[in-house]
Amino acid sequence: MVQAGTAEDEVVRLCQELIRIDTSNPGDHSGPGERVAAEYVAEKLAEVGLEPTLLESRPGRASVVARIEGEDPGRDALLLHGHLDVVPARAEDWTRDPFGGEIADGCVWGRGAVDMKDMDAMILAVVRERLREGRRPPRDVVVAFLADEEAGGRWGARWLVDEHPELFEGCTEAVGEVGGFSLTVPGDRRMYLIEAAEKGLAWMRLTASGTAGHGSMVHPDNAVTAVAAAVARLGSHEFPIRLTKTVRAFLERTCLAYGVEFDPDHPEKCLEEIGPLARMIGATLRNTLNPTRLDAGYKVNVIPQEATAQVDGRFLPGHEEEFFATVDELLGPNVTREFVHHDLAVETEYEGALVAAMEAALTSEDPGALPVPYCLSGGTDAKAFARLGMRCFGFAPLRLPPDLDFSGMFHGVDERVPVDGLRFGVRVLDRFLDRA
């Protein structure tokens, strides 16, 4: 039985219920998996007449895909996608239960509130309302709710693209997470950041080998020393600034909004104006390397034969070759690298009918909106769908209060999303689908 109510009525409840389903993904299949959440989503879609496909890449790792027939099936299709998994959360670190979905201080609290069960709920709410009312989109829309994004998508989007590409037949454009959120600028106006690019990903394991032996003796080929020295070189290296077209466009428009002159020789000066968001945007000015793990030995007086480290590397679109050439130079002769996970950088032109539809949907709900393209420092399932030739954007619209550190919510403690932001998001998403 379909519950009555508008998308604005439903979206908050849907977000709460999704958060209460623990889909923690530690990256080693030890979590609960996404199956329960996938079944929940499939049921909500089936209630309004869709025939969702639920597929498991391995036990518990489930994704859901459904197609909504548009008014003109001859047009290329649009993909709306969100992931169902979340990073783990320790309850003792949080002010509120990370899997409670509580409403407090005008927000829905919990792991996944912004990454990205808010968008999952918005897609569900809008699709359900439109189908209840018999409002078809102008073209076919495929909706996908995916497993495993938080570990690189191998058992979610990547698996579907490799094993079931027919589910995305005709899709030439895709819209997913980490875009469409607001940043308040002077004049009580808001910039809305629409993701048009994202950095590539190189999670690497470094290995050094040496001679095992007693800790009291001289060992010129100590594996721990070799890997530690390589980690120090990588971690302290600063790549040169490389302004991609998307990053430059963001900085130029941001400078205009703040009344600051854009200086291409010192573009980082603009970031002083945008508060905590500068952490994420600043990482898109250059390639980055961050050591994250070290592992060696088993006893203080035993020199191990092998030492390893892990490094999180991110490279800008068009600069992958430069990135790896630098990494290999910094490693030195006695340290090798292999990929834990490697994925491409993506970038698309910020132009065309889909961009116009996103901008018009925003300005219709917020006349002071200033839509701007930006590059995401992290990665999303867009990397998988780009392999099918889709133009990919991040557009999960939220109007946010000026004092909310939104970027700090991603993978942080006390993750939460404003209730009013969710309701704003469904209104914008609905208008977007009318125009898309």
Side-chain angles (χ1 to χ4, degrees):
M1 185 72 178
V2 178
Q3 295 188 19
T6 66
E8 287 190 66
D9 294 331
E10 276 202 315
V11 67
V12 176
R13 176 179 56 81
L14 291 170
C15 186
Q16 289 179 284
E17 292 177 355
L18 283 166
I19 288 170
R20 289 169 186 156
I21 303 171
D22 183 356
T23 52
S24 297
N25 182 5
D28 59 2
H29 303 296
S30 63
E34 298 86 354
R35 175 86 197 200
V36 174
E39 291 174 346
Y40 171 90
V41 167
E43 179 184 351
K44 296 299 180 186
L45 295 173
E47 282 180 353
V48 290
L50 292 179
E51 297 180 359
T53 299
L54 190 152
L55 294 166
E56 278 191 335
S57 54
R58 57 182 295 163
R61 314 307 304 276
S63 299
V64 178
V65 183
R67 184 178 290 260
I68 304 163
E69 185 177 342
E71 294 177 344
D72 183 359
R75 287 184 58 191
D76 292 334
L78 171 70
L79 171 64
L80 287 181
H81 62 95
H83 62 84
L84 294 171
D85 63 322
V86 297
V87 295
R90 297 198 319 166
E92 59 266 31
D93 296 335
W94 286 56
T95 303
R96 299 182 182 277
D97 180 359
F99 298 103
E102 299 176 49
I103 296 178
D105 302 324
C107 293
V108 180
W109 293 60
R111 179 57 85 215
V114 301
D115 187 14
M116 62 170 297
K117 290 179 176 179
D118 57 340
M119 180 60 164
D120 294 334
M122 286 192 283
I123 294 172
L124 274 178
V126 169
V127 165
R128 283 166 59 82
E129 179 183 74
R130 293 180 71 95
L131 290 177
R132 283 195 300 264
E133 296 175 355
R135 291 190 291 128
R136 293 163 60 190
R139 54 171 160 161
D140 281 11
V141 173
V142 175
V143 292
F145 300 84
L146 305 158
D148 200 40
E149 190 275 343
E150 295 294 359
R154 179 182 178 187
W155 302 104
R158 284 288 297 272
W159 183 81
L160 288 173
V161 164
D162 291 341
E163 302 296 330
H164 297 280
E166 72 281 357
L167 293 172
F168 310 105
E169 181 69 31
C171 289
T172 58
E173 296 169 314
V175 169
E177 63 175 325
V178 204
F181 58 92
S182 70
L183 171 68
T184 302
V185 298
D188 192 28
R189 301 187 71 185
R190 281 150 296 281
M191 291 200 316
Y192 287 87
L193 282 68
I194 297 174
E195 186 208 311
E198 60 186 50
K199 295 176 81 175
L201 189 154
W203 294 342
M204 296 172 286
R205 180 181 294 105
L206 315 183
T207 303
S209 298
T211 303
H214 199 287
S216 68
M217 299 181 187
V218 176
H219 285 266
D221 61 343
N222 188 313
V224 177
T225 303
V227 84
V231 164
R233 290 191 295 270
L234 292 171
S236 60
H237 180 76
E238 184 172 88
F239 285 88
I241 288 175
R242 300 282 189 247
L243 290 184
T244 64
K245 59 187 176 184
T246 302
V247 172
R248 187 183 183 104
F250 171 82
L251 294 173
E252 289 176 343
R253 297 186 194 197
T254 300
C255 285
L256 280 175
Y258 281 93
V260 176
E261 183 179 356
F262 173 66
D263 182 354
D265 295 323
H266 300 283
E268 66 273 24
K269 288 184 177 179
C270 171
L271 303 182
E272 298 171 2
E273 305 290 336
I274 63 175
L277 189 62
R279 296 193 302 269
M280 180 169 71
I281 300 299
T284 65
L285 300 185
R286 50 171 55 92
N287 298 329
T288 57
L289 286 164
N290 281 302
T292 54
R293 295 188 65 180
L294 291 167
D295 187 29
Y298 56 89
K299 195 172 186 290
V300 69
N301 64 342
V302 177
I303 295 175
Q305 186 173 350
E306 183 177 275
T308 64
Q310 293 189 26
V311 178
D312 185 332
R314 310 282 173 144
F315 51 89
L316 289 164
H319 295 278
E320 182 173 2
E321 184 176 343
E322 175 192 34
F323 172 82
F324 284 114
T326 301
V327 168
D328 290 339
E329 181 180 349
L330 293 170
L331 284 179
N334 300 316
V335 180
T336 61
R337 66 172 171 88
E338 61 182 332
F339 289 123
V340 176
H341 187 72
H342 176 218
D343 217 332
L344 72 168
V346 296
E347 187 167 32
T348 189
E349 298 291 338
Y350 187 73
E351 60 184 30
L354 195 72
V355 169
M358 289 186 277
E359 292 189 341
L362 285 167
T363 55
S364 66
E365 289 296 328
D366 183 356
L370 298 167
V372 298
Y374 90 106
C375 177
L376 177 66
S377 61
T380 74
D381 283 327
K383 296 182 186 304
F385 297 119
R387 295 174 187 274
L388 293 178
M390 298 185 208
R391 296 179 68 211
C392 297
F393 296 90
F395 186 65
L398 291 171
R399 178 169 170 166
L400 302 169
D403 59 346
L404 184 69
D405 179 9
F406 183 67
S407 61
M409 296 289 173
F410 286 81
H411 299 189
V413 299
D414 290 342
E415 186 180 345
R416 59 196 183 276
V417 62
V419 168
D420 289 344
L422 288 170
R423 291 173 174 155
F424 171 86
V426 294
R427 296 196 302 271
V428 172
L429 199 60
D430 188 45
R431 290 181 181 271
F432 166 67
L433 288 179
D434 281 339
R435 295 171 167 87

